[in-house]
Amino acid sequence: MIDVAFLIDLSPRCRFRHFSENRSRRVCGLILGLGGWVSAMTNEGSLMWAGLAGVVPGTEVAVRFRGDDGAFVDTTLRRLPVEEVLAGRPVREFRSWQGRRHYSGWYWSATTGGHVVYESRLELARILLADQDPTVVAIAAQPFLLEGVDGDRKRRHVPDLLLAHKDGALTVVDVKAAARVADPKVAAQFAWTRAVCERHGFGFEVWTGADAVLVENLRFLAGYRRPATIATELVPAVIDAAVVPVAISALERRLGLSVPQWLVRPVILHLLWRSWLVADLSRVLGGDTLVSAEVVA
């Protein structure tokens, strides 16, 4: 709600009129918008609007996020405490109901050491790619609610992911099925979100999917992402043995001369997940897949 005194101060000579709920009109510099939101022109001619963060300039974008204690915090995108967002909880909760068509759940992330929520299998696939990406250092799902002015309307949008990178860059990700991207409403929403992100120094990505073989390989490798499930003492030996490209099966046999062979494969797959070993993941993984050691910084 906006303070009535604020409206009166902005336009003391105006008569108040009744507005129907399905229309917006401009009277004496005031704009009563859809859904009860209010904006106004100041004496200096700058647009002000009221939303989650109170009364702010028209160029500001309001943000709501949840801290790690579950409490909601309202601020603006310019003042957003990114570390608190990354350590916080999803801004909206998910509920189950009979007949629901989406597949949602929680994924344990090796990057964050905690669970990341997803609303669909497509979102889960993008989280897998982020979790395996060595340049990504933090992942937040449903990180915040954006609210701002887009022309003569107000937009509200919750992006699917916020990714933090080693170089300090931040990327906002919206995941959408390819068939829906061309929908005018979806395209307009993404155009506004992209403009907001670019204006505030965030990257923006619309992700519609990746190569099916790559995704399935990552799903398989994700089963070995936890260091606690492998014989970590074998990591140096595996890396030393893969300085020159070698097939996975040959690497297993070579190291299996001194240690149980069934201990070797999980280490190889774990190192592929961490990108300490590299391979062509666009081809189906198998015993003949060539792997080689990557320089670890």
Side-chain angles (χ1 to χ4, degrees):
M1 296 294 292
I2 189 169
D3 191 339
V4 174
F6 175 79
L7 293 180
I8 294 175
D9 288 342
L10 282 177
S11 190
R13 298 194 183 105
C14 289
R15 295 181 180 178
F16 287 91
R17 300 182 183 179
H18 172 74
F19 295 90
S20 60
E21 294 183 359
N22 62 347
R23 301 185 64 185
S24 63
R25 297 180 181 176
R26 182 187 300 267
V27 177
C28 298
L30 299 180
I31 307 171
L32 301 187
L34 302 178
W37 71 286
V38 181
S39 63
M41 298 296 294
T42 65
N43 291 335
E44 291 76 22
S46 60
L47 177 69
M48 303 291 291
W49 69 281
L52 294 173
V55 180
V56 296
T59 56
E60 288 282 6
V61 177
V63 179
R64 170 170 289 175
F65 69 94
R66 292 180 74 187
D68 59 1
D69 60 354
F72 289 100
V73 180
D74 293 332
T75 183
T76 64
L77 195 53
R78 294 185 191 281
R79 299 176 180 176
L80 185 68
V82 174
E83 292 300 325
E84 292 183 30
V85 174
L86 292 171
R89 302 183 186 181
V91 74
R92 64 184 180 193
E93 297 185 1
F94 304 97
R95 294 176 175 84
S96 298
W97 63 90
Q98 186 175 6
R100 187 181 59 170
R101 302 177 69 178
H102 293 292
Y103 182 98
S104 60
W106 293 84
Y107 166 83
W108 186 86
S109 165
T111 300
T112 66
H115 288 89
V116 178
V117 71
Y118 59 90
E119 289 187 286
S120 68
R121 297 284 287 183
L122 193 61
E123 281 187 24
L124 175 58
R126 183 62 185 91
I127 292 170
L128 278 170
L129 265 69
D131 199 29
Q132 195 268 339
D133 185 345
T135 70
V136 174
V137 296
I139 305 168
Q142 319 298 319
F144 42 60
L145 167 65
L146 297 173
E147 181 184 68
V149 176
D150 181 16
D152 60 354
R153 63 167 294 172
K154 183 179 73 171
R155 289 195 182 274
R156 293 165 64 94
H157 179 56
V158 177
D160 294 309
L161 298 170
L162 175 64
L163 307 179
H165 303 270
K166 278 184 178 179
D167 61 2
L170 296 166
T171 303
V172 172
V173 181
D174 269 317
V175 177
K176 190 70 67 175
R180 298 189 58 198
V181 171
D183 182 283
K185 291 183 179 179
V186 173
Q189 179 68 77
F190 287 167
W192 176 78
T193 307
R194 183 182 300 279
V196 165
C197 288
E198 291 177 350
R199 198 163 67 240
H200 292 82
F202 290 76
F204 179 68
E205 170 190 319
V206 175
W207 195 80
T208 59
D211 177 74
V213 174
L214 171 64
V215 173
E216 289 308 310
N217 280 336
L218 290 183
R219 289 191 200 281
F220 174 69
L221 292 176
Y224 299 88
R225 67 191 184 278
R226 299 172 185 258
T229 64
I230 69 163
T232 55
E233 67 275 10
L234 297 181
V235 168
V238 172
I239 291 177
D240 288 343
V243 172
V244 177
V246 58
I248 290 177
S249 58
L251 185 57
E252 289 175 343
R253 288 193 299 269
R254 184 184 308 173
L255 294 174
L257 296 175
S258 57
V259 298
Q261 191 167 322
W262 58 268
L263 288 176
V264 178
R265 179 172 294 186
V267 177
I268 296 173
L269 299 177
H270 174 75
L271 295 178
L272 280 170
W273 170 263
R274 298 191 66 176
S275 297
W276 289 12
L277 291 180
V278 295
D280 182 2
L281 296 181
S282 67
R283 301 180 63 181
V284 176
L285 279 173
D288 61 345
T289 298
L290 293 178
V291 299
S292 60
E294 179 75 353
V295 176
V296 180

